[in-house]
Amino acid sequence: MIPTTFALAAICIMAAITVVLRATPFLASGLIKDRPIVASLGRFLPGTIMALLVFHSLYSASAVAFNWQAVVAAVAVVAVQLVVRRPLISIVAGTGFYMLLLNVTQGA
Amino acid sequence: MHVSSLTDREHKSLSVLELSLPVAMGYVPLGAVFGFLFVHSGGAWWLAPLASLLVFAGAAQFMVIPMLVSGASLGAIALATAIINLRHVFYGLSLLGALPANVFARLYMVWTLTDENYSVLTTMQEDVGDSQRLVVMALNHGWWIAGTLLGALLGLQLPLALTGIEFSLTALFAVLAIEQWRKNRRIAPFVVAFAAYTAAAILVPQQSLLVALALCMLVGLLLSRFNRKELCA
């Protein structure tokens, strides 16, 4: 049993902390906006973060055992996107391929 | 709030639907799992969608369930949330010039800056007007809340036939990584990310994402100091 007032307090605290973290660079933007190093980082980070999120979700998906199906499907998504350049097609095809691989190889 | 012109729409390469549907495929089932776990751990059903509305941070929401059950202190919950979401401190650096003029629109965009919304925003930012970016943020927020509500109310467990559908978020990140590469034609961010994540996963497996991102920031700072042109689009 989770006490409701306790959960409400926890939710509010979590929301406040999350929003402050997300707002930090904007709050500091007066100090940092015109620095060339920030502009350069701002361009460097999106590709880096996207790649990190891919690696992290593959790593998390392998928490129990190495999830080779996810790695194969991720490579397939990259290949499809490089060729067709339609995000929805690449993502639906890749996810379908992953689910099929799971079903075939694990008999799920 | 400025209403996007027709030319905005004509020039954008990725449509609102195209960017939000993959997020829906990930957010609805994952939100349902969160709602289901929350209610089955003994929480009031309406608290689950409230958490998804207010917090809107998947990993932190999952993490807090066992802490709520065991009656952890609010301080411990606050600290755990800060550690898990610390990476978001870096996200705004790419969006400093991209916030809408309207104060509420601005607040909403900051509040809903999840991994997925960050990825979508940085891919969209040059192509689309404020209103369309807000529509995508709000749609994605809505998927997450709707999924949570489904799981909390129906006790919806992921049907076995849908096992693996949450891979759509991994696929979304992979697709947007390719689009980032298409924009800049620089391989450095991906090489640095791979090296940093590998090192972080070996050294600090519990906080691999945060540590890897901190390492990337460090390398990014060094690179931009020594060779600014190599990094820039």
Side-chain angles (χ1 to χ4, degrees), chain B residues 11-231:
Chain B
H11 285 291
K12 76 182 194 304
S13 47
L14 307 170
S15 76
V16 163
L17 196 68
E18 201 153 20
L19 286 171
S20 190
L21 266 186
V23 177
M25 285 166 61
Y27 272 11
V28 173
L30 282 176
V33 173
F34 168 73
F36 173 79
L37 286 176
F38 188 88
V39 170
H40 277 251
S41 306
W45 70 268
W46 54 273
L47 283 171
L50 187 73
S52 290
L53 173 76
L54 294 178
V55 182
F56 196 22
Q61 285 177 238
F62 278 105
M63 158 221 83
V64 82
I65 296 177
M67 297 187 84
L68 289 174
V69 170
S70 66
S73 72
L74 290 175
I77 290 175
L79 183 65
T81 306
I83 292 172
I84 259 188
N85 285 336
L86 194 57
R87 67 183 184 282
H88 289 156
V89 161
F90 302 120
Y91 287 9
L93 291 176
S94 319
L95 298 166
L96 287 178
L99 282 190
N102 181 290
V103 170
F104 294 104
R106 195 181 275 243
L107 272 174
Y108 185 71
M109 213 171 259
V110 172
W111 175 31
T112 55
L113 200 56
T114 60
D115 295 332
E116 291 74 14
N117 277 354
Y118 169 80
S119 309
V120 169
L121 268 183
T122 47
T123 309
M124 289 176 96
Q125 72 185 67
E126 286 139 33
D127 306 304
V128 230
D130 289 349
S131 53
Q132 273 164 302
R133 285 188 282 145
L134 280 169
V135 167
V136 175
M137 304 299 102
L139 267 177
N140 293 348
H141 198 184
W143 302 129
W144 181 241
I145 298 166
T148 307
L149 198 61
L150 270 178
L153 285 181
L154 304 178
L156 193 77
Q157 291 204 65
L158 213 52
L160 211 51
L162 287 179
T163 304
I165 195 166
E166 71 288 343
F167 180 80
S168 54
L169 291 180
T170 312
L172 175 75
F173 295 137
V175 160
L176 296 181
I178 297 298
E179 290 310 302
Q180 284 296 331
W181 172 77
R182 246 191 254 274
K183 251 190 199 173
N184 299 335
R185 300 280 160 169
R186 297 282 175 207
I187 206 75
F190 306 103
V191 176
V192 172
F194 185 74
Y197 195 83
T198 307
I202 293 169
L203 297 173
V204 205
Q206 291 305 311
Q207 292 300 335
S208 49
L209 185 55
L210 176 61
V211 172
L213 186 46
L215 286 174
C216 287
M217 281 287 292
L218 212 66
V219 176
L221 283 170
L222 289 173
L223 279 177
S224 57
R225 216 189 152 103
F226 291 119
N227 198 353
R228 192 159 291 153
K229 288 218 170 68
E230 264 313 297
L231 282 169

Side-chain angles (χ1 to χ4, degrees), chain A residues 23-104:
Chain A
T24 302
F26 302 104
L27 296 174
S29 89
L31 292 173
I32 60 176
K33 200 156 91 186
D34 299 322
R35 308 256 170 119
I37 205 154
V38 172
S40 152
L41 267 181
R43 283 187 295 265
F44 174 71
L45 283 178
T48 316
I49 289 174
M50 243 72 89
L52 285 179
L53 290 170
V54 173
F55 301 142
H56 186 63
S57 45
L58 293 176
Y59 181 71
S60 308
S62 297
V64 182
F66 177 57
N67 189 335
W68 63 268
Q69 293 95 336
V71 176
V72 170
V75 172
V77 168
V78 167
V80 173
Q81 178 65 11
L82 281 173
V83 177
V84 303
R85 217 196 158 174
R86 305 300 309 176
L88 196 54
I89 291 177
S90 312
I91 292 164
V92 171
T95 306
F97 179 53
Y98 175 68
M99 292 163 75
L100 189 75
L101 268 182
L102 275 191
N103 268 284
V104 170

